[in-house]
Amino acid sequence: MNTRVTIVDVAARAGVAISSVSSALNNRPGVSEETRKRIVQAAQDLGFVPSLRGRSLSAKRAFAVGLVVHRDPYVLESDPFFGSFIGGIETVLDPRDYALILQMGSEPVETLDRYRSLAANRRVDGVFLSELGVDDPRVPLVRELGLPAIGVNAELDFPMPSVRQGHVEGIRELVAHFARLGHRRLALVTGPHEFIHAGQRRRAWSDAVTAEGLPGGEIVEGDFTYDGGVVAADRLLAGRAASERPTAVMCSNDLSAIGFMARAGELGARVPEDLSVAGFDGIQLGTYVRPTLTTIATTPRLLGLEAARMLLAAVDGERVADVDIEPARLVVRSSTGPAPVLR
Amino acid sequence: MNTRVTIVDVAARAGVAISSVSSALNNRPGVSEETRKRIVQAAQDLGFVPSLRGRSLSAKRAFAVGLVVHRDPYVLESDPFFGSFIGGIETVLDPRDYALILQMGSEPVETLDRYRSLAANRRVDGVFLSELGVDDPRVPLVRELGLPAIGVNAELDFPMPSVRQGHVEGIRELVAHFARLGHRRLALVTGPHEFIHAGQRRRAWSDAVTAEGLPGGEIVEGDFTYDGGVVAADRLLAGRAASERPTAVMCSNDLSAIGFMARAGELGARVPEDLSVAGFDGIQLGTYVRPTLTTIATTPRLLGLEAARMLLAAVDGERVADVDIEPARLVVRSSTGPAPVLR
DNA sequence: GACAAATACCGAAACGTTTCGGTTCTGTGT
DNA sequence: ACACAGAACCGAAACGTTTCGGTATTTGTC
């Protein structure tokens, strides 16, 4: 019973050749308006849906794109990024009848193999490259595999098209915010140096601090986790007199900022009275914790949307230009306040 | 240059017919050991990878399975479940050369359409049904579409094969834990009643409370979010004398428990001195907050692993039996303690 | 009314596998 | 020496589409 209706059924019902059906349904020229109507009608009557498999073989396309996430599941757990990012991707993929193939590799090596097998049997027509590392081995790999790819928040000299959300503006706003509040002793908690976006945020921070004419301040490396924030708070606050502690800290993502705040409280630093803390990302959780977290809000959904649009264009063989979406902006909430008066 | 090596190339090099190559490479009988070796060698020399598209068309299979997530991105954001769940799925899919197609629908209606189009062009060979609702419309739909499916944490009378992780044991352990600590005034914060697992946890709770001979206590409906926990804390604690407040509360997931704890603190209830709070899930965040969260720890990775194994079996036409994985167990941390002494 | 050009339509090949029926070959038993 | 079973191998069809070259038909021109 369950034999699907194919193009030959439609052709038979409309009394034409299958090539005509194909032309009619794909709006190719060379078929009269009259028969086109008849064919469309027949297709509709029979509930014809072109077989993806047939199309795929003939068109040499997979009609799918790939996203390989290489993260520890437990980091992913609290990661706001991919949910919204994927949501944005879907928005574009769906109307074009493309699908998203998701792979997860915890080990970096494993990840490379995923790309390799994705390419080997041509399961995808293109891939996203997100969470880029410095000298990321995936870049030469996809190039070698001849796989169209779009970089997400890549460096400016990235060798393939890339979509970016500016971080400079937001960070500059934050530093200005700190300066206006009278802070002089700043500190930064970075992400792991092997991620390029960690380095980007770090440089933007240093530039902004210099531009405001403030002292450089300490920089400690975190790891984008809650725990990393806790450890950073220990490094910057534990065993120090109030006068030696920084009064304003930016953490390179919200999760670590939240960990930082929690530990700061335990170490006797009240937020924001003694210490201002800000994050980066704009995750929901930041509006729930007390005090609510000042942050630089990103829009991963938009990033995904634009990335998908670009990838499909690249798959179609178009030359696609880099895109900069609306930069991440400062969102002031209650974890930042005036610098404490020194005794 | 980029023309892929196909089975005919292999056949030519080995000096045999393509049908023999196919037989040899798929370990079908009817080809001598000698020529099999020769064929395998030729395939290796040429770096032959069978085309998924060709196989797909011929075998009438997509070699992919689907997962449709229907959640608000912002709930997903803090959701530990899918990261690990998907990780578990991949473990099984990968060696079998299957891929996972992920779709996200925020609207329930949208979700149904996703399943429909997934089935219409046969993009997947089967799907997972997770986060089941009561009278979930997806069930009749996949049935009508003739799509193999596996339920995840479905009810016992679920009409298709399903993998479950027991929640009864852990909840019974938690209630016993509360009883042993001297708590008599209990309360439960549920999930939205339209999710079956919310109902399941609620019933298990009531049963366990009765079994321990404790008074029923209050039950308020939450929504699995941090905010829902905050609201529930207001409902149960605000404007009440200590003697009227519950002394032990279980929230139906960790995120809402964390929200509950935060608000409880603001309302002057110290955790765990005045009030014991427990969650359900076992997310990483629960080990970070202070006090660390007592919870009932689930293992979504195992759930995904088993679900994928079952789905592939179902796709192969096997009759697959339900599977119960190791139940979720109580993990006592520091958010629960002895009941306060009444004045 | 003849001829060229444009249009509508068709048939077959191509995409890369698997499968199935058929042919050739080898070896066994009589 | 012959029949015959079984193994090894082959050719072609099938899966469902798109594309391309070709033929028949219409239209337009002089």
Side-chain angles (χ1 to χ4, degrees):
Chain A
M1 52 147 276
N2 214 347
T3 161
R4 287 166 55 73
V5 16
T6 84
I7 198 172
V8 311
D9 301 326
V10 178
R13 176 176 248 257
V16 296
I18 62 168
S19 51
S20 300
V21 177
S22 180
S23 296
L25 263 27
N26 295 308
N27 289 314
R28 301 253 178 294
V31 37
S32 72
E33 199 47 45
E34 185 189 10
T35 53
R36 183 188 303 273
K37 278 215 183 87
R38 192 153 35 95
I39 289 171
V40 169
Q41 185 58 255
Q44 189 135 12
D45 292 349
L46 296 165
F48 169 67
V49 180
S51 150
L52 191 75
R53 309 210 231 292
R55 286 209 300 150
S56 192
L57 184 61
S58 178
K60 296 159 169 284
R61 284 214 190 181
F63 298 103
V65 294
L67 174 63
V68 181
V69 177
H70 73 304
R71 300 208 132 195
D72 296 333
Y74 92 95
V75 174
L76 191 70
E77 173 177 313
S78 332
D79 194 320
F81 187 78
F82 284 104
S84 305
F85 184 68
I86 292 173
I89 292 176
E90 298 271 348
T91 313
V92 176
L93 256 39
D94 225 51
R96 297 250 334 234
D97 256 316
Y98 260 72
L100 177 70
I101 287 187
L102 182 71
Q103 309 252 52
M104 309 218 354
S106 39
E107 306 292 332
V109 186
E110 212 181 13
T111 303
L112 284 185
D113 281 342
R114 297 286 165 88
Y115 278 100
R116 230 182 286 272
S117 77
L118 232 39
N121 45 31
R122 291 283 196 265
R123 197 185 267 283
V124 297
D125 298 327
V127 294
F128 301 100
L129 293 176
S130 70
E131 312 284 275
L132 286 156
V134 300
D135 291 330
D136 199 307
R138 294 176 293 168
V139 176
L141 179 62
V142 301
R143 167 148 291 196
E144 172 201 330
L145 296 172
L147 213 49
I150 300 292
V152 178
N153 280 337
E155 294 284 18
L156 281 171
D157 61 359
F158 195 68
M160 20 196 108
S162 148
V163 54
R164 299 186 185 80
Q165 179 161 44
H167 47 277
V168 174
E169 294 82 351
I171 291 177
R172 203 188 303 139
E173 286 169 359
L174 174 63
V175 172
H177 173 65
F178 281 156
R180 208 176 312 119
L181 291 168
H183 293 277
R184 303 274 307 161
R185 291 204 306 279
L186 310 184
L188 171 71
V189 178
T190 70
H193 65 273
E194 58 265 29
F195 286 120
I196 66 159
H197 56 299
Q200 288 169 343
R201 291 174 197 177
R202 181 202 165 110
R203 279 193 301 281
W205 167 265
S206 297
D207 291 350
V209 169
T210 306
E212 286 289 338
L214 294 170
E218 290 175 85
I219 297 182
V220 310
E221 183 170 322
D223 62 0
F224 284 143
T225 70
Y226 184 102
D227 239 7
V230 169
V231 171
D234 276 330
R235 294 260 301 277
L236 288 170
L237 306 174
R240 293 196 189 178
S243 59
E244 287 170 0
R245 290 176 169 180
T247 66
V249 177
M250 163 174 158
C251 298
S252 287
N253 77 340
D254 283 351
L255 192 61
S256 60
I258 292 170
F260 191 98
M261 283 205 297
R263 185 74 182 125
E266 292 172 9
L267 292 171
R270 293 165 304 160
V271 178
E273 292 83 358
D274 302 325
L275 178 65
S276 288
V277 176
F280 194 111
D281 270 349
I283 68 176
Q284 202 68 20
L285 196 57
T287 67
Y288 293 147
V289 292
R290 292 302 117 103
T292 54
L293 183 66
T294 292
T295 189
I296 294 164
T298 62
T299 53
R301 160 171 275 270
L302 241 58
L303 214 50
L305 198 144
E306 203 54 55
R309 190 173 308 184
M310 292 168 69
L311 185 51
L312 290 193
V315 167
D316 284 343
E318 298 173 26
R319 236 195 104 277
V320 337
D322 284 16
V323 170
D324 283 275
I325 67 170
E326 193 69 10
R329 299 318 276 254
L330 176 66
V331 175
V332 176
R333 291 199 282 251
S334 51
S335 65
T336 49
V341 283
L342 297 177
R343 280 155 298 174
Chain B
M1 53 147 276
N2 214 346
T3 162
R4 286 166 55 71
V5 17
T6 84
I7 198 171
V8 311
D9 302 325
V10 178
R13 176 175 249 256
V16 295
I18 63 168
S19 50
S20 299
V21 177
S22 179
S23 296
L25 263 27
N26 294 309
N27 289 314
R28 302 252 178 291
V31 36
S32 72
E33 200 46 46
E34 186 191 9
T35 54
R36 181 187 306 272
K37 278 217 183 85
R38 191 154 37 93
I39 290 170
V40 169
Q41 184 58 256
Q44 189 134 14
D45 292 348
L46 296 167
F48 170 66
V49 180
S51 149
L52 192 75
R53 310 214 225 307
R55 286 209 301 149
S56 192
L57 184 61
S58 177
K60 295 161 169 283
R61 284 213 189 182
F63 298 102
V65 294
L67 174 63
V68 181
V69 177
H70 73 304
R71 303 207 130 195
D72 296 333
Y74 92 94
V75 173
L76 190 70
E77 175 178 312
S78 333
D79 195 320
F81 186 78
F82 284 104
S84 305
F85 184 67
I86 291 173
I89 291 175
E90 298 271 350
T91 313
V92 176
L93 256 41
D94 225 52
R96 297 249 336 233
D97 257 317
Y98 261 71
L100 177 70
I101 288 188
L102 182 71
Q103 310 252 50
M104 309 217 358
S106 39
E107 306 292 331
V109 186
E110 211 181 13
T111 303
L112 284 186
D113 282 342
R114 295 287 164 88
Y115 278 101
R116 230 182 286 273
S117 76
L118 233 37
N121 45 32
R122 292 282 196 267
R123 198 185 267 283
V124 296
D125 299 326
V127 294
F128 300 100
L129 293 176
S130 69
E131 312 283 273
L132 287 156
V134 301
D135 292 330
D136 198 307
R138 293 176 295 167
V139 177
L141 178 62
V142 301
R143 167 149 292 197
E144 173 201 328
L145 296 172
L147 213 49
I150 301 292
V152 178
N153 280 337
E155 295 283 20
L156 282 171
D157 60 0
F158 195 69
M160 21 195 106
S162 146
V163 55
R164 297 185 186 82
Q165 179 161 43
H167 46 279
V168 175
E169 295 81 352
I171 291 177
R172 202 189 302 139
E173 287 170 358
L174 174 63
V175 173
H177 173 64
F178 281 156
R180 208 176 312 118
L181 291 168
H183 293 278
R184 304 273 307 159
R185 292 204 307 280
L186 310 184
L188 172 71
V189 177
T190 70
H193 65 273
E194 57 265 29
F195 286 121
I196 67 160
H197 56 298
Q200 289 169 342
R201 291 173 197 179
R202 181 202 165 111
R203 280 195 300 282
W205 167 265
S206 297
D207 291 350
V209 169
T210 307
E212 286 289 337
L214 294 169
E218 289 174 86
I219 297 182
V220 310
E221 183 170 321
D223 61 1
F224 284 143
T225 69
Y226 184 103
D227 240 7
V230 169
V231 171
D234 276 331
R235 295 260 300 276
L236 288 170
L237 305 174
R240 292 195 190 180
S243 59
E244 285 171 0
R245 291 176 167 179
T247 65
V249 177
M250 163 173 159
C251 299
S252 287
N253 76 341
D254 283 351
L255 193 61
S256 59
I258 292 170
F260 191 98
M261 283 205 297
R263 185 75 182 122
E266 292 172 8
L267 293 170
R270 293 165 304 159
V271 179
E273 293 81 358
D274 302 327
L275 177 66
S276 288
V277 177
F280 193 111
D281 271 348
I283 67 176
Q284 201 70 19
L285 197 56
T287 68
Y288 293 146
V289 294
R290 293 300 118 102
T292 55
L293 183 66
T294 293
T295 189
I296 294 163
T298 61
T299 52
R301 160 170 274 271
L302 241 56
L303 214 51
L305 198 144
E306 203 55 56
R309 193 173 305 185
M310 291 168 70
L311 185 51
L312 290 193
V315 167
D316 284 343
E318 299 173 25
R319 237 196 104 276
V320 337
D322 284 15
V323 169
D324 283 275
I325 66 169
E326 193 69 11
R329 300 317 275 254
L330 177 66
V331 175
V332 176
R333 293 199 282 251
S334 50
S335 65
T336 51
V341 282
L342 296 177
R343 279 154 297 172

